[in-house]
Amino acid sequence: MIHLDHNATTQPCGEAIEAAEVCMREHWHNPSSVHRAGQAARQEVERARGSVAELLGVKPRDITFTSCATEAIDLAHRGVMSLAAPAGRPVILTTAIEHEAVRDICEALSKPPGEGGVGAEVEHIRVDQTGTIDLGHLDELLNAHADRIGMVSVQWANNETGTHQPVGAIGQRCKAREVVFFCDATQWIGKMPTQIDQPRSPFGGERIATDNDAVHIDLLCLSGHKFHGLKGAGALFASRTIRLRPQVLGAQEKGRRGGTEAVPAIAALGAACRRAGEWLRDGSGRDRVADLRDRLEHTLLERVEGAHRNGPGERDARLWNTSNIAFPGCEAEALLLQFSERGLAASAGAACSSGSLDPSPVLLAMGVDPVSAHGSIRFSLSRDTTDDEIDRAIEIVTSCVERIRRAGVSA
Ligand code: PLP
């Protein structure tokens, strides 16, 4: 199988598997136990915390382990909004192109308190046709709602198109107004160098070179399985200055998230962070895969009549691994089934909404017409994708589109 669906999940790297195995075989004890065996498991958890913190350039004490990014998103939004007490209804400024996990929690929080929400008003910051937010509109909304803003929630990179948001500029605005800024960085972390604005590096040593200056973010989520760790461990970075109401009560994770830690998955997340850190130190790996992605995209756009890209074309404006292409006249689900028969795994928008025939709300919010959105496919590469896989993927995609168009299976 040629796997071009890495924004859905990635293969665990050798280091992550090894780290998990050591914990399952040797450090299977409870990290909260005071005995020596428990403390050895605790050390594995704390080593992983240090590795996550190092990848972000933050202090280990500001990292809380969760089961996945979705849980970290829930903790951040509910945790902040249930304590936000502005005069009048609290406002969340977000976008219509967030991952479903963010869209859903914002909607849940907009319900009245008796229905599980906090009565929040959710305002969407406009995005252009590349899926980039309009900073002018963000300024307008920040001014219009001034004292009522509970939080700003904007992703770093989009899971369907790879589009980057101007997180540095958003962070500056939030910092200047003392507004809480949450960033869903699930698709960014492990793929791009990151430096969160901290008074000083907690590690005396060399920092991973970043393409951007340090950015101001109050809370950020990540997920191990998106960058060669295991499913079952994610993390929330939350600056200790942020008041956060825990959603799962218990003594673990300094009271921010109860429940015995999933030591093997957490150790694997730490190993995946160390491996990603090494890989990111030198930009050549990213350039190699971006070249492959560009070759896949250019060849398909050239060979397949009517095909066009959703999202920005420039390398700097999107993730190096993602390409989203519309094949008008084809139904995405039919294409994916044909690809799969021929040994190619790709996706139509977010994995969690596959099985649904609705066009991607993210593409619709970017102004993509419904016919194109119905026939749009996301190809997402990994740091291990090869030249040969791209050659074969091009052949499979071009022949499947032709076959479906000939058979007249139209959207
Ligand atoms: N946010 C984004 C941008 C994602 O792409 C995903 C997963 O696809 C999530 C959140 C949810 O991640 P998890 O599977 O760790 O819950």
Side-chain angles (χ1 to χ4, degrees), residues 7-8 68-70 73 99 101 155 157 159 184 186-187 223 225-226:
N7 286 4
C68 57
T70 301
I73 288 167
H99 185 271
Q155 63 189 192
N159 44 303
D184 174 1
T186 311
Q187 292 294 346
S223 183
H225 77 98
K226 300 291 186 185

Side-chain angles (χ1 to χ4, degrees), residues 149-304:
I149 297 171
M151 70 193 297
V152 170
S153 175
V154 178
Q155 63 189 192
W156 206 325
N158 187 269
N159 44 303
E160 296 189 35
T161 59
T163 304
H164 298 167
Q165 296 303 340
V167 164
I170 301 169
Q172 274 171 7
R173 285 161 165 79
C174 291
K175 189 175 182 180
R177 291 165 188 264
E178 297 184 1
V179 167
V180 173
F181 176 30
F182 168 81
C183 182
D184 174 1
T186 311
Q187 292 294 346
W188 175 275
I189 299 298
K191 293 195 184 95
M192 294 296 285
T194 305
Q195 177 62 54
I196 295 179
D197 187 14
Q198 294 281 288
R200 160 171 96 73
S201 168
F203 312 94
E206 185 199 349
R207 273 197 195 157
I208 297 167
T210 52
D211 290 346
N212 307 310
D213 292 337
V215 291
H216 169 84
I217 293 174
D218 295 301
L219 305 105
L220 168 149
C221 69
L222 58 92
S223 183
H225 77 98
K226 300 291 186 185
F227 59 103
H228 306 281
L230 297 187
K231 290 156 195 73
L236 177 70
F237 157 75
S239 153
R240 282 282 146 182
T241 55
I242 299 295
R243 289 175 65 229
L244 196 63
R245 175 176 282 169
Q247 300 303 304
V248 182
L249 300 181
Q252 292 86 355
E253 297 296 294
K254 298 206 167 73
R256 280 195 160 174
R257 195 268 192 179
T260 301
E261 295 90 340
V263 182
I266 289 173
L269 170 59
C273 287
R274 293 190 289 279
R275 178 75 189 86
E278 279 162 26
W279 188 77
L280 289 169
R281 234 173 260 284
D282 160 14
S284 65
R286 282 178 281 152
D287 288 342
R288 183 192 74 81
V289 187
D291 286 345
L292 289 183
R293 187 273 315 271
D294 289 350
R295 186 159 72 77
L296 170 75
E297 188 172 283
H298 294 154
T299 315
L300 291 178
L301 295 184
E302 231 172 65
R303 287 199 197 163
V304 181

Side-chain angles (χ1 to χ4, degrees), residues 18-46:
E18 243 167 68
E21 195 178 348
V22 168
C23 290
M24 286 191 284
R25 290 189 190 282
E26 294 171 32
H27 305 308
W28 46 267
H29 309 85
N30 191 321
S32 297
S33 297
V34 291
H35 50 68
R36 198 179 287 169
Q39 288 312 296
R42 165 62 49 205
Q43 270 182 17
E44 293 291 334
V45 172
E46 295 316 315

Side-chain angles (χ1 to χ4, degrees), residues 8 49 69 95 129 168 173 206 268 299 309-310 368 371:
R49 200 185 309 280
T95 77
Q129 68 210 27
R173 285 161 165 79
E206 185 199 349
T299 315
R309 178 183 47 241
N310 297 312
V368 174
V371 172

